Structures are given as structure tokens and as C-alpha cells.
Amino acid sequence: MATAVAHRFLRAAVVKKILRDLIPRHQIFTVTFIKENGDLRMMNCRRGVFTRVTGSTNRASRPNTNRADRNVICVFDLKENDYRSFRADKVLIIKTSGVLIQAAEEE
């Protein structure tokens, strides 16, 4: 029988503010979050990546940012070499330039 684990998530507004104001667009950062299926995932990624598509067209390949849910953050996963996304309200930890940001323990 699986045991439920209580997670301390960063607030979505805090995650978006960190990404907007503290991490430059092309800087690599690590985000630890809970996936939609409940799995824990740690991803090294960056924002602002627009790669060229190889083949018959020369159009820029961009992430799908036309999402109705503004809590979905699209990034470029450096390990998978492809775009991935995560929910801002499911982030546990953000690490960049040796700085670790996580939710405070409740007293």
C-alpha cells in the first residue's frame, strides 16, 4: 500500500515572480516539481530557447505557449533536448546559481 506524502509547494505567484525577476531568460536552473501523474521530477532547464527545425522548412520551433492555464510554465529541458512544461503550483524547489528556493516549514 502506497503512503501519501505531504509536499510543501511554493506558491504559483512566487514561482512566476522568481522566473520573471530573479532568473535571467537564458540562465540554466533546476526545478523540482510533482508531475500531473504524481511522480516527483527534477529537471535542468532554461527559458528563452528557440531552436531551428531541420528538414524542408526553416521555421523556428517554439513551445506551445497558447495555454489557457497560466500556471503552466514552458521550458527547454537540457537532458531531453526538448520542450517540457510544469505547473507553477506544483513546484517544490528552484535552484539557480547555487541558491536554493523552497517553501518554508510551517510552525
Side-chain angles (χ1 to χ4, degrees):
M1 179 178 225
T3 305
V5 177
H7 296 288
R8 298 199 188 285
F9 297 108
L10 290 167
R11 289 189 353 225
V14 171
V15 171
K16 290 189 262 186
K17 183 166 179 59
I18 290 166
L19 293 176
R20 182 182 63 240
D21 298 341
L22 301 179
I23 301 176
R25 194 146 185 85
H26 295 284
Q27 182 172 325
I28 296 170
F29 65 97
T30 302
V31 61
T32 304
F33 60 97
I34 302 297
K35 293 172 43 173
E36 286 291 319
N37 66 4
D39 291 347
L40 179 69
R41 171 123 193 260
M42 184 172 68
M43 176 170 52
N44 292 320
C45 55
R46 60 187 252 192
R47 297 174 307 130
V49 174
F50 303 106
T51 58
R52 290 284 173 199
V53 176
T54 57
S56 61
T57 65
N58 197 20
R59 295 176 43 213
S61 174
R62 295 177 182 237
N64 179 8
T65 55
N66 295 329
R67 299 180 188 276
D69 188 348
R70 294 296 176 203
N71 281 332
V72 176
I73 309 294
C74 188
V75 295
F76 191 80
D77 184 331
L78 299 173
K79 181 179 177 186
E80 298 297 326
N81 201 34
D82 202 1
Y83 296 103
R84 297 289 186 260
S85 61
F86 59 90
R87 293 189 53 84
D89 57 350
K90 296 294 183 181
V91 172
L92 300 166
I93 300 169
I94 296 176
K95 183 177 180 184
T96 183
S97 300
V99 176
L100 183 83
I101 303 164
Q102 62 186 13
E105 293 288 326
E106 293 181 7
E107 294 183 21

